[in-house]
Every structure is written in C-alpha cells, then in structure tokens.
Amino acid sequence: MVGGEVRTYNPFSVASPFGWVSRDHRKLLVVDAEVGFVSGVCISKEWLGDPARGSAAWRDTGIALRGPAVRDLAVAFADNWASLGDGLPAQLSILRETPPIAGDTAVRVVATLPSTAGLYRLDQMLTALARRTLWLTDAYFIGTSPYVQGLAAAARDGVDVRLLVPGSSDLPVVGALSRTGYRSLLAAGVRVYEWNGTMLHAKSAVVDGRWARVGSSNLNIASWMGNCELDVAFEDEAFARRMEAQYEEDLRGATEVVLSARRRGGVQAKGSGPSAGSGGAAAGALRLANTVGAAITNRRVLASSEAGILLGGALVLLATAGSPLLAAGAGVAARRTRAVVGVRRERQIHPRRPQGEVPAARGAS
C-alpha cells in the first residue's frame, strides 16, 4: 500500500443474498481539477486484447471533459465515496471551486443511483422525440417491453433506428438473451448489427445529428434501475456529427442481421426432394448459403435455427424473474416465449420493409 485508499461498494452479505446485484457501475477518472474521463472502460487487461493469441483489443467509447462539468464528475464521485464512510476533505479545490469554461459545447452529467429511473425515462423519451435518426450502441442489450415498443414505434414512424451490439459477448447468456429481442425489432424496421470484433463494450447514442450520450449505462434493467451509473449528454451538432461518423465507421466492421425474405410475394419453400433425407442436406446448404452471404454482403439472416436461443433465453428469464436484477423478468420472459412460438410457427419470416445497404463512412467532421 503506497497511500491509496480503496472502498468496496455494496459488498456481498448473507443477510441480503441478492443485494449484490446493485453495483457501482460507473467508469470515472478525475485528474486534479482539470480533466475528467467518462467511458465504458474497466480496469482490466481484457480491454487490451492479447496479440500473442490473436485477440484484438475491445471496442469501447470514452470522452475527456474540461470545464465546469469536471466538478460535476467530482461531486458524483464524492457522493458515492461518502456513502461508504468518511467524506472527501472539504478543502479539495475541485469540490470548492468550479473550473472555468473551456469551450462552447453544451454538456450535462447524468449520475444515476439505484432504484431511480431518470436515465430510463430519458432513453424512453428519446424514442418519442427522434425525428430522423436514433443510432444506439450497447454491450448488453436486454430491452424492457415499453422500451422495445418505443424503438419499434419510432421505426414505424419513419425514424432510422439502428442498434449495434456485440457479435460475440464476454457474457454468452446475456448475448443469447439479447438475440431473443431481435425478431420484434426487425419486424418493425429497426436495423440490428452485430460487431465482428472481439468484444464491443461501448454504450452510446446519437439522435437526429444533434444530441448524443456516452457513458456506462447499458440498455437493460440493471443499468436503468439497479446500478450507480454515469453518463454525459451532449446537445451539440458538431459533437453529434462526429459520433455519427464514428457509428458509420463501426458499421463497416459489423454484420447486419435481417429477417428472411423467403415468404415475399406469398411464396413459401417447403421440404421436397427424392428422399426424406434430403431435408438435412437442404438445411445444411441453407446454413452454408447464409454464412457465405453474410461474408459477401455483411448481412446475416435470422432464421428458425435461432428458436433454441429464444427458448433458452425465455427459460433463463423465467428462472430469474424474482431477482432484483430482473424485476421485470416475468413480463420480458413472456414476450420472449411468444417470440419462440412465432419463430417455430413461421420458420422463415419476411421484413415489413426492404433493408438498405450499410452506408459508407463519411469521415469525422
């Protein structure tokens, strides 16, 4: 120990076996009274990757802030610190004085606490306020029914709604649960992309080229209701344009997930051939075709083969519905189960509107 001090937020207790699910999930660094950093980055070697094993660094998003907002970051840290013991010294300059204005970008620090729903209400409001674009990046997407309905309604109103999520998650169960929500989003016209790299851990949003958010909050009930989270909202067109350019660049390294167009025009392919055994070969050929097609077009078809994932996700949600982490688990599980029934019944389904191609990156402005 060389003078540092460490405190544990909400340690495990036998008296409250599920209490530990409420975490301090903030990722924050404040240096002196000059600069603050907010991101999704944890202090872990995974973010660096492992070149010797061919594992690339994780994809994350962070920002550096100067000016008055730095004090807001320090105050958010000080409040959490004081909840665990003695507070920080009152004479610290960052707590006594507000740093001078350092630019003309309008920012707001959003520090949320457990059992509050401020960011959840904000994210829901954005689905209603978006008029042109709503582009989301999330590491552990498990949307609640009202939020998913909001995204679907925005897409049906003509908003370009996109969701970028990991293709391969460090938490496979969460990745599987996330995929159970694809069908209803895709059917409504929301475009879903899976990152092709090692792990996408970023949490960001950009709306109408005017508003953006970067921070630690995921689009799930744990972040919205269970954790201490920290995000920064920007109402600045120049910053939003940079976020849009970065989003488009990320899509160049992602694969779009689409619904099968097999039933377009009322045509439905059914198993046929010289023998019943040809069904297995046809299924294998279809999987191969989908794989090759994804490699060529950066699009992957969501087909009936994923019904097992849907069912598994529904069962996990049902089993954990009593946990504080998934307070709305039963309702979400019911929706997931309906999705399973829909895929089993409909095998291959078609989108309500054609899916366009991935746009080329415009470059940062």
Side-chain angles (χ1 to χ4, degrees):
M1 194 72 173
V2 293
E5 186 175 351
V6 177
R7 294 181 182 177
T8 302
Y9 181 87
N10 195 22
F12 176 79
S13 171
V14 176
S16 180
F18 290 105
W20 61 270
V21 299
S22 177
R23 301 177 297 158
D24 181 0
H25 193 245
R26 297 171 177 176
K27 295 87 165 65
L28 167 65
L29 174 64
V30 176
V31 181
D32 297 327
E34 297 180 5
V35 61
F37 299 89
V38 175
S39 71
V41 178
C42 297
I43 302 175
S44 173
K45 64 180 181 180
E46 277 78 8
W47 269 256
L48 301 177
D50 188 350
R53 297 185 178 182
S55 177
W58 285 15
R59 167 71 180 87
D60 219 319
T61 297
I63 54 172
L65 294 176
R66 296 181 183 273
V70 177
R71 184 176 185 275
D72 293 334
L73 299 178
V75 169
F77 177 88
D79 288 345
N80 256 12
W81 187 260
S83 72
L84 308 174
D86 294 336
L88 294 173
Q91 65 269 25
L92 286 177
S93 61
I94 188 59
L95 300 180
R96 289 188 297 105
E97 303 173 3
T98 300
I101 294 175
D104 57 2
T105 302
V107 304
R108 182 181 298 275
V109 174
V110 183
T112 56
L113 297 171
S115 301
T116 62
L119 192 65
Y120 179 51
R121 293 194 298 270
L122 176 61
D123 282 335
Q124 281 191 301
M125 183 176 66
L126 292 175
T127 66
L129 294 179
R131 291 294 176 264
R132 295 187 295 104
T133 58
L134 174 57
W135 295 355
L136 307 166
T137 302
D138 199 68
Y140 307 107
F141 175 79
I142 308 178
T144 61
S145 291
Y147 184 69
V148 170
Q149 291 167 4
L151 293 178
R156 292 190 183 104
D157 285 344
V159 178
D160 180 6
V161 183
R162 305 186 187 193
L163 175 64
L164 175 61
V165 294
S168 176
S169 177
D170 64 320
L171 298 177
V173 171
V174 176
L177 291 175
S178 182
R179 288 187 175 91
T180 66
Y182 286 1
R183 185 175 184 273
S184 59
L185 292 172
L186 294 171
V190 176
R191 299 180 71 178
V192 178
Y193 299 84
E194 290 185 341
W195 176 250
N196 296 331
T198 304
M199 174 61 188
L200 175 77
H201 196 260
K203 306 95 164 50
S204 65
V206 58
V207 183
D208 288 346
R210 297 180 54 190
W211 189 94
R213 172 174 69 84
V214 175
S216 67
S217 296
N218 291 297
L219 300 175
N220 60 44
I221 199 68
S223 281
W224 281 324
M225 297 292 291
N227 298 336
C228 298
E229 302 281 3
L230 190 70
D231 297 81
V232 180
F234 299 82
E235 191 168 354
D236 182 82
E237 291 188 8
F239 183 82
R241 285 197 299 270
R242 293 177 62 185
M243 290 291 292
E244 284 186 330
Q246 180 60 58
Y247 197 92
E248 292 177 326
E249 182 63 28
D250 286 341
L251 294 189
R252 298 169 78 88
T255 297
E256 184 173 10
V257 180
V258 297
L259 294 177
S260 171
R262 202 166 185 182
R263 280 196 176 184
R264 277 185 197 164
V267 177
Q268 180 180 0
K270 296 184 179 181
S272 60
S275 68
S278 65
L286 177 60
R287 286 193 295 271
L288 178 60
N290 286 341
T291 302
V292 174
I296 296 173
T297 66
N298 263 4
R299 292 162 68 116
R300 181 173 70 79
V301 172
L302 186 70
S304 61
S305 60
E306 300 197 53
I309 294 176
L310 299 179
L311 180 59
L315 293 177
V316 170
L317 283 168
L318 286 170
T320 57
S323 167
L325 175 64
L326 293 172
V332 178
R335 178 161 56 87
R336 300 301 194 242
T337 304
R338 287 195 297 272
V340 174
V341 175
V343 172
R344 293 288 190 188
R345 183 179 299 163
E346 203 170 349
R347 295 289 177 177
Q348 298 287 339
I349 50 182
H350 61 84
R352 296 188 180 185
R353 67 180 186 187
Q355 304 291 332
E357 297 298 326
V358 179
R362 293 196 300 263
S365 57

